[in-house]
Amino acid sequence: MSSATGRRLGRGSVTILWAAALLLIGGAGLESLTLALAFGEVQQGSSALLQATDRLGAHPEQWTPDRISAAGRLNRTAGPLLERGCARLQSNPIPRAAGGLPVAGADTTAVLDLCDAGIAASRSLDDFLRVARAYQAVERDPAPPGARFIKLLSETGAPLRDADARLRPVLARLRQDLARPLAPPLRAKVAEAAGRLADAEQRAALGLGMSEQLGPALGSSRPTTYLVLLENPGEMRPSGGLIGSVGTITFANGAPSQLEIRPYDDYNRLLKQRFPIPSPLDRLMSFYNNALEIGDAGWDPDFPTTARLAEAMYKSATGLDVDGTIAFDPYAISALLAVTGPVSVPTFGTFSAADVYAQLNYIINVQSAYPHEGKQALPVVGREVLKTVLAQPIAAWPRLLDVFQQQARGRHLQIEVHDAALAKSLAAGDVDGSIAATPGDYLMVVDANVGATKGDLYANKSMSVRSEVYADGLSRHLVTIDYSLPAFNDDLARALNPGDGSYRDYLRFYLPEHAAVAGVKAALDSQPSVAAPVNVTQEHGRAVVGVFFILPPQHSLRLQLAYEVPLQVGRSYSLFIQKQAGSPGLPTDLLVSYPGGRAERHLALDRDEEVGYRW
């Protein structure tokens, strides 16, 4: 965070400032000499700031006492130089005179804003040094990990708040500069600086949010209990996968004090009320007592909606209330193991980042006589992974937090809480798994495997989107999704895909509310096929187009949806493509034609993507 900011302002802004000096110094005399001295001080200060940030390092494992001390000394040199140099620039009549010119004025303002950004970076580095010292102190603390984590959150709040307050306004000014006509080299540097500062400010804001709200969420003031949903995207459902296991985790003073996870079907016979089966799931699958089961509570891709339903079902079965819901999948577990290393679990073996998903599927569906029996491995493995995560040294905590953030962005981790302030922060950070409320064009493709197989582990999927945007505000789209299913030639594949192994899927397209559907086509092995009737509804302020299909092994299927969307007339266009929770990614080719232009992009779609064009 600090290193990136310093590097930006150390090299990029110095080049621009000196280039601007050549343009601004129009005559000899004291003003020109003062201006030259100012640029010299800014150059020296930026160089010292760069050395300071490099010396500190970007990761806590680099934050040794010697490095913290050296970075502090360098920044104490950098700060005064930057402040004196920028003060000379701001008071010098030559830049002020250039500021009155129509074109040079915008460039001069941008140069001065870059200078101010350097000062903000130096002062925020002081804040990050305080954070580094807090890490050092907590690492030496003999208290339990949970208590140390709560202490760290408490002591880093003030410096992170200060860093966020310093970085946010200079970032806003750089963005304003980018909205004005600038010389091309200067524009490139300002854009680069704004990008780096945006990343630093976002990290400071995220850290501040955690320091203010994560403590209470982890039981700093009272024990907190969350419903836990372990989803299996091998049997994809709209919320991220079949909810194979359900339980609770209780936090007290920053650490888990209790973890209970059971197979979802343990709860079915305990339900005190009947929960209706959503349409058309009631026509596609059969259920115990003709009522919705908690394992299928994830029929809605909007995770807060799924969480509320799962909590109601859990309370019906147990009579217990919770403080929120946490859902995660094996991809998230694998990412954690990539940081902690392999975990050995008595009776069940060793699990690593590379094989945890495959091993769990084998234990549950092949090694055990019955899946319910195999699912008993899940709470045991989960507890061992959790113990290993908690045993990590303080220096590894930021990497673990990075994993949590990355998995949340990929929607492999979703969290819904009842605390209003924390819920707002989670929504702002895209951690709550909600359907995005975006003003422009929108698309989300949602699979629901209704065949009781693990076909999503084997099906190959890809998408192409062809969009034509017109000056009158209309956009037309053709979305093509290709599926192919291989033959199941080994015992594991056949066990995970029983019966004839066909992939039975209810596919939904989420579109802007006022989208008009032109039609849906299907082709099996390149031959036109009759798809099931198309179901068009409205959910969460979106138009939803649903279609059911069956894909046998060794066959391929292509589905195409044509539709158009009325948009606000203007000279720009944006398309937000939201990924489905649990999906490892959906390779997508995007082609957009707009007035006077055409653009192609390939997206992995392993996280939400937004593209925009102007004309």
Side-chain angles (χ1 to χ4, degrees), residues 78-433:
L81 286 169
L82 287 166
E83 290 175 11
R84 284 198 303 269
C86 289
R88 291 181 192 270
L89 282 175
Q90 291 166 350
S91 62
N92 193 283
I94 295 177
R96 289 205 306 271
L101 300 176
V103 176
D107 287 350
T108 302
T109 299
V111 167
L112 295 176
D113 286 343
L114 282 170
C115 196
D116 287 343
I119 295 174
S122 175
R123 292 175 179 172
S124 65
L125 178 57
D126 283 335
D127 293 319
F128 299 139
L129 284 165
R130 289 176 60 190
V131 172
R133 294 186 188 102
Y135 268 98
Q136 279 286 308
V138 168
E139 193 166 23
R140 296 189 298 268
D141 195 321
R148 288 189 290 164
F149 187 56
I150 295 297
K151 181 179 180 181
L152 181 64
L153 292 174
S154 174
E155 295 188 355
T156 56
L160 287 170
R161 186 178 299 106
D162 187 72
D164 182 57
R166 293 186 185 282
L167 293 171
R168 195 182 323 112
V170 293
L171 174 61
R173 285 162 54 189
L174 291 179
R175 286 171 170 165
Q176 289 174 356
D177 292 331
L178 290 172
R180 304 184 182 105
L182 299 176
L186 179 59
R187 172 173 293 279
K189 292 298 181 182
V190 173
E192 190 179 0
R196 293 290 184 92
L197 282 178
D199 181 65
E201 193 276 331
Q202 184 180 31
R203 288 177 177 269
L206 180 62
L208 176 60
M210 289 194 301
S211 70
E212 292 178 339
Q213 297 156 11
L214 199 53
L218 296 180
S220 61
S221 55
R222 66 169 182 85
T224 51
T225 299
Y226 300 94
L227 187 65
V228 174
L229 309 178
L230 179 55
E231 299 182 304
N232 187 351
E235 189 172 342
M236 185 61 78
R237 297 297 163 81
S239 73
L242 173 72
I243 302 171
S245 296
V246 178
T248 56
I249 184 169
T250 298
F251 290 91
N253 198 26
S257 60
Q258 184 176 354
L259 174 66
E260 179 188 6
I261 302 177
R262 297 159 60 185
Y264 79 89
D265 36 13
D266 279 4
Y267 296 90
N268 292 335
R269 63 180 181 273
L270 302 177
L271 292 171
K272 308 297 190 301
Q273 65 190 95
R274 180 184 179 277
F275 290 85
I277 305 169
S279 177
L281 185 60
D282 55 349
R283 302 192 302 272
L284 300 174
M285 297 185 73
S286 58
F287 291 87
Y288 176 78
N289 282 343
N290 196 32
L292 186 68
E293 301 171 9
I294 196 169
D296 293 292
W299 186 250
D300 198 311
D302 182 70
F303 183 69
T305 302
T306 286
R308 287 191 293 270
L309 175 58
E311 289 173 15
M313 298 182 78
Y314 178 78
K315 183 173 182 178
S316 175
T318 66
L320 300 176
D321 289 305
V322 293
D323 296 292
T325 299
I326 302 171
F328 60 96
D329 63 26
Y331 295 115
I333 297 175
S334 176
L336 286 173
L337 291 177
V339 175
T340 67
V343 172
S344 295
V345 183
T347 304
F348 298 107
T350 300
F351 297 82
S352 69
D355 63 17
V356 61
Y357 198 177
Q359 281 212 74
L360 287 174
N361 268 322
Y362 180 80
I363 291 170
I364 294 170
N365 296 286
V366 179
Q367 182 173 296
S368 304
Y370 302 99
H372 182 276
E373 178 184 326
K375 289 176 184 176
Q376 304 304 321
L378 293 174
V380 179
V381 174
R383 277 192 292 268
E384 291 301 318
V385 171
L386 186 59
K387 284 167 55 179
T388 303
V389 169
L390 291 173
Q392 295 301 297
I394 298 291
W397 288 2
R399 283 186 292 158
L400 291 171
L401 289 174
D402 282 343
V403 166
F404 286 125
Q405 293 174 37
Q406 292 164 9
Q407 296 308 303
R409 291 192 194 104
R411 302 190 75 186
H412 299 294
L413 170 68
Q414 302 174 94
I415 304 174
E416 180 270 341
V417 297
H418 299 174
D419 179 86
L422 181 56
K424 184 178 180 180
S425 293
L426 292 175
D430 298 324
V431 180
D432 69 342

